[in-house]
Amino acid sequence: MSLDKPLVDDVGTEILALAARIFPICRSITGDGVRQTLREVGAHIDLELHEVATGTPVLDWTIPREWNIRDAWIKNARGEKIVDFNRSNLHVMSYSVPVRQRMSLAELKKHIYTLPDQPDLIPYRTSYYAENWAFCMPHRQFEALREETYEVSIDSSLTDGHLTYGEYFHKGETEDEFLLSAHVCHPSLANDNCSGIALLTHLAKRISGLRTRYSYRFLFAPGTIGAITWLARNEDRAHRIKHGLVVSMVGDRGGPTYKKSRRGNAEIDRAMIHSLNHSGLSPVIEDFYPYGYDERQYCSPGFNLPVGLFSRSKFGAIPEYHTSADNLDFIRPEALGESYRLINETIGAIEANATYLNTSPKGEPQLGKRGLYGAIGGDKDAAAANMAMLWILNQSDGTHSLLDIAERAKLPFAVVQRTAKLLSDHGLLKPA
Amino acid sequence: MSLDKPLVDDVGTEILALAARIFPICRSITGDGVRQTLREVGAHIDLELHEVATGTPVLDWTIPREWNIRDAWIKNARGEKIVDFNRSNLHVMSYSVPVRQRMSLAELKKHIYTLPDQPDLIPYRTSYYAENWAFCMPHRQFEALREETYEVSIDSSLTDGHLTYGEYFHKGETEDEFLLSAHVCHPSLANDNCSGIALLTHLAKRISGLRTRYSYRFLFAPGTIGAITWLARNEDRAHRIKHGLVVSMVGDRGGPTYKKSRRGNAEIDRAMIHSLNHSGLSPVIEDFYPYGYDERQYCSPGFNLPVGLFSRSKFGAIPEYHTSADNLDFIRPEALGESYRLINETIGAIEANATYLNTSPKGEPQLGKRGLYGAIGGDKDAAAANMAMLWILNQSDGTHSLLDIAERAKLPFAVVQRTAKLLSDHGLLKPA
Amino acid sequence: MSLDKPLVDDVGTEILALAARIFPICRSITGDGVRQTLREVGAHIDLELHEVATGTPVLDWTIPREWNIRDAWIKNARGEKIVDFNRSNLHVMSYSVPVRQRMSLAELKKHIYTLPDQPDLIPYRTSYYAENWAFCMPHRQFEALREETYEVSIDSSLTDGHLTYGEYFHKGETEDEFLLSAHVCHPSLANDNCSGIALLTHLAKRISGLRTRYSYRFLFAPGTIGAITWLARNEDRAHRIKHGLVVSMVGDRGGPTYKKSRRGNAEIDRAMIHSLNHSGLSPVIEDFYPYGYDERQYCSPGFNLPVGLFSRSKFGAIPEYHTSADNLDFIRPEALGESYRLINETIGAIEANATYLNTSPKGEPQLGKRGLYGAIGGDKDAAAANMAMLWILNQSDGTHSLLDIAERAKLPFAVVQRTAKLLSDHGLLKPA
């Protein structure tokens, strides 16, 4: 495979453009918002859509009713819309049941969520599995509400229908799979997770043009119930997943953060951590814990798949999290591009990782007579390449992979990979 | 078992009361002082007394002659008692042979121990296995002794007799035993070890009223030779001991200190360290070393029992150690109560520790439909309980005990235990 | 064995004297300089010389042509020798082919090496495997060279001949070998490695007079090609090497530095680190890396011998490295003596290291009745010896060697060794 093919320079800008297109859509765990989002994704890659009917049992869960919303508002006594769904879909709690009613301020307040500590922001709220309705608004506005009669309207529907998810599959040389998964259930939150959807779309587009060792499965599904649905429908094939990443919140300038898979020392864990440690950034590496995004499902004990979570800031740990401040200004093309490159690099390392045997294991082979000493590039590069040669030759006894060697030698994987290629070309390495 | 039954609030005061009763008694490794002490213990629990005759071989040792003492003093030339055993039994070196003699100051000084660095304190000295006699006194008094003729009297006896120890056994559901051991050979030293004797007496009293999984063996025996005697007489049954604690110096305000068993990672080590780390105190955890109290014998390589040492301050590390300053003022009901609770909590954790299987291991089970999300207590508790549920479900694959999970999740064992009960009640956990 | 026999006090002075004798000789990887050096070594020990003919294949390498040099100089236009091989053999790049020629300054400069950052020092350079010639000089002199016609002469020869190395073998009780290896290919560099050659010569002399458990092989060979040659000729016997040290740069005041064998936890690694950690010095311990001296060859994956590198400063890490500043003033008798003692102590620990069984493993044996408590030396020593007794008895269950115990107990190996002897003499220990 040639994941070392130069990357598009402005990939961050392209990812941002797609994120911006899907940002306004009102997504939830079911409904037309998901379908519309997946259509945008499908404009870039050959996405397969799946519709699973309400009531279908999926593992311990059941596909819920489908929720759709057309409009919603609160009018004051003078008939002025003081809250308007069309201005921000965060104003309506996701899965709000329909309502059309006049009520006092006191009654209305029972159905309003605010953030007292962030009085200018609209919170993001959901109530998927308990029937209810609510509006979300800035606390400052909430406090200014006068005692009068209000009229509220939520023109939504909660009916039997389907849960929708999309899958893109790239066939590689083997049936072993690399899973890349993004949740598609949050409405107008840019980082969480328009960023992840857009990044994976562009990554899938790139990989579609490559010959790869692994097969790649891109999953765009609603959080929790979507991953559970996919697992339920692919229970027998899930074991093919040898590496995986959940990709969320990849556009802000924090982190990067990697949360290890439940296994803790899977190849994806080691490769991702290696990439991050050589990135020149200040990565945060976290041990697995059973809270977060869909790695919760992939890493449940009955599956225990080697799937980690890549993000920039850690979910819940920044003030913008699940508020209207998570808007398109909050995500940056440079951060999106950097996230893309880090994931790409990690995939490249896993594609190229292999274990070799030094064919001349007794004493060092004479590199000079083969023109290998100082054979590569400028001075510093030559020194690194020479050390890489010595490390690879010394460690290639059949028990150390290139990734093991890169870690031990504290060298970037790319240098070790390139050097191993050179040694192979000179017959000094063979597959173990 | 229900070790979570509320503890007596003033248990520290009760322990102190018993410690105060036994404090004046002149104990040694044999003799009536031990018997009198065990009678006081026996007033609270159904203690079985053992008498082992002088000369009996016990492992590499032999039961020594029995030592008893009635009186002792030093009189100056005017016949005034300047040292009087009745005022402190520390004045006489333990196992001093009888003597009645006039002598010069120079001669007397050969038989006097003092602490030059702590000139107001009487040291505690013994000479169990080499025949000798001596007095102990404050260095200040020693320095003021005038050149005159002194008369010394030690009215002791060292004759064939018995070594005495007491045992309290509580039958649990299994034959697997939990050993709790205190030395009973030190005279008027409050912390070392009236405190441990009194604490274990009250702990035994409490456990006697409970249904327990493990059987509990409380051993009140003289240091070293007592533990060796018990091991010699129970060589074939010692392997039943699955957990054990030596309990000494539990009444001062230092520590708490836990010294691991020789195994280093036994369940008792992990449970005790877990309790201490969640105690809000500043515990000191020490690796095993072959010096200290009777864990030396239990952890000898031929037995290698999982027995650790719990104390407050570390023996030998405080100025009061083995001096007349280790008196009843030095031990505090709060410290005794806290020690009691920590040991009790550790026992509770070991009683409740078990390994479960998540019955719905594929994906997370839907907690919401079972009313389990946020099911417990106030907000903070609910969050901890939710995390506890997720941790238990994620880790319960048959290879992690509740204690493993508590450690991994950094949650108090009690929370994990309670949550596991809840999940079991909902059919989400079953014994592994 | 009795490596605890008192060491010669002025061994550092003796090592320095030999280093000074061999310092002026112009060594390279072949040639008469090596032979002359080995003759000096042979004046102290019964050294066996090996000559291996040019063209002989050795592992992946081939014995090169033999290089010898008689004289070399650069004359200016007035016929004055401005560079003279007789003043420093560093002036000529090792393996320079013969030349006798007049040339311009511009032409001459293509054949001159200097150190611009250390303008007063002559660098040390080699070109073993690419035919070339060059002079080395202080940068200050180089800059002062005037535009005129120079005459250069290198009266060297590069012809079929032999590679020479020396071996001293001391037969011990077993065929298991301890390898001590020093490179002999550097010309007038005192620390690198006249110091190592001289130290090993005196160590061999000492060991020749001892009865040892291991057999000792001292190898004096040119770097890289010499070690490869020895390995090629002893391929079937190399596995007998159970411990080994490469000894280089042992006379400066830096370090001491120990670089672990590729195995990382070999007995030599643990013993050397133990000695260093108890030396009162500030040792530097390095993990294995595949660059350095001949441990590169011994630790190649096809051999993977347990051979570490002992030096004072780390090669390459000091300004004197490979310059004319590495002269006889740079090495010190105290540092040489200290290096000698550390290596000697490590050898002593490996000779004495063994695993024992406590013959009285149930409970502690009664040390008092055997007169063992406090049996050794003064107060502090007695306490250490008592702790050593308790540690040895506690740990001697057949799975812990004396070195394991010394590490665990944080006691010097010598104390543990002496105490184990005492316990054995009293029948409390037997070989495991």
Side-chain angles (χ1 to χ4, degrees), chain A residues 59-62 129 228 235 262 287-291 296-297 299-303, chain B residues 358 360-366 369-370 373 387 390-391 393-395 397 400 408:
Chain A
L59 302 177
D60 189 58
W61 302 57
T62 307
Y129 300 101
I228 283 170
E235 211 170 321
R262 182 178 185 271
D287 282 333
F288 177 78
Y289 51 91
Y291 194 68
R296 290 163 66 164
Q297 310 310 325
C299 296
S300 59
F303 290 107
Chain B
N358 177 344
S360 180
K362 294 197 166 179
E364 290 174 7
Q366 194 177 359
K369 74 181 180 193
R370 295 175 175 88
Y373 230 65
M387 278 312 291
L390 295 176
W391 271 115
L393 291 168
N394 186 275
Q395 295 290 298
D397 58 5
H400 304 105
R408 177 81 191 268

Side-chain angles (χ1 to χ4, degrees), chain B residues 6-24:
Chain B
L7 297 176
V8 176
D9 263 356
D10 55 356
V11 66
T13 307
E14 292 188 6
I15 294 168
L16 180 56
L18 177 54
R21 277 187 74 86
I22 63 177
F23 177 76

Side-chain angles (χ1 to χ4, degrees), chain B residues 98-119:
Chain B
V99 63
R100 179 74 182 253
Q101 205 176 323
R102 289 178 179 275
M103 58 184 65
S104 66
L105 176 60
E107 191 61 26
L108 176 62
K109 281 189 166 180
K110 294 180 190 162
H111 292 273
I112 293 182
Y113 288 105
T114 70
L115 296 166
D117 293 341
Q118 297 172 291

Side-chain angles (χ1 to χ4, degrees), chain A residues 356 392 402 415-427 429:
Chain A
Y356 292 93
I392 294 167
L402 294 187
V415 170
V416 171
Q417 176 186 354
R418 210 159 52 225
T419 309
K421 171 87 169 53
L422 186 71
L423 291 170
S424 291
D425 292 347
H426 281 81
L429 281 190

Side-chain angles (χ1 to χ4, degrees), chain B residues 191-192 248-250 252-259 284-289 291-293 295 309-322 330, chain C residues 387:
Chain B
N191 202 30
D192 181 13
S248 304
M249 293 183 58
V250 289
D252 71 281
R253 279 168 290 191
T257 303
Y258 180 66
K259 172 184 155 183
V284 178
I285 309 299
E286 296 192 301
D287 283 332
F288 177 79
Y289 51 89
Y291 194 68
Y293 290 103
E295 71 279 5
L309 168 64
F310 177 84
S311 66
R312 303 300 307 226
S313 289
K314 184 178 167 180
F315 67 90
I318 46 171
E320 293 83 358
Y321 181 74
H322 279 192
F330 185 54
Chain C
M387 278 311 290

Side-chain angles (χ1 to χ4, degrees), chain A residues 331-357:
Chain A
I331 61 174
R332 295 285 166 171
E334 309 77 40
L336 291 162
E338 197 172 71
S339 298
Y340 178 90
R341 272 182 285 273
L342 287 165
I343 293 171
N344 215 67
E345 190 176 301
T346 301
I347 291 174
I350 287 180
E351 281 278 329
N353 193 26
T355 301
Y356 292 93
L357 276 173

Side-chain angles (χ1 to χ4, degrees), chain B residues 73-80 98-109 111 133 135 148-154:
Chain B
W73 42 257
I74 305 174
K75 287 182 182 167
N76 64 14
R78 286 179 309 285
E80 298 161 346
V99 63
R100 179 74 182 253
Q101 205 176 323
R102 289 178 179 275
M103 58 184 65
S104 66
L105 176 60
E107 191 61 26
L108 176 62
K109 281 189 166 180
H111 292 273
W133 64 265
F135 285 87
E148 56 189 318
T149 301
Y150 292 90
E151 184 179 6
V152 301
S153 166
I154 297 180

Side-chain angles (χ1 to χ4, degrees), chain C residues 290-306:
Chain C
Y291 193 68
Y293 291 102
D294 286 332
E295 71 280 4
R296 291 164 65 163
Q297 311 310 325
Y298 304 129
C299 295
S300 58
F303 290 107
N304 196 25
L305 299 176

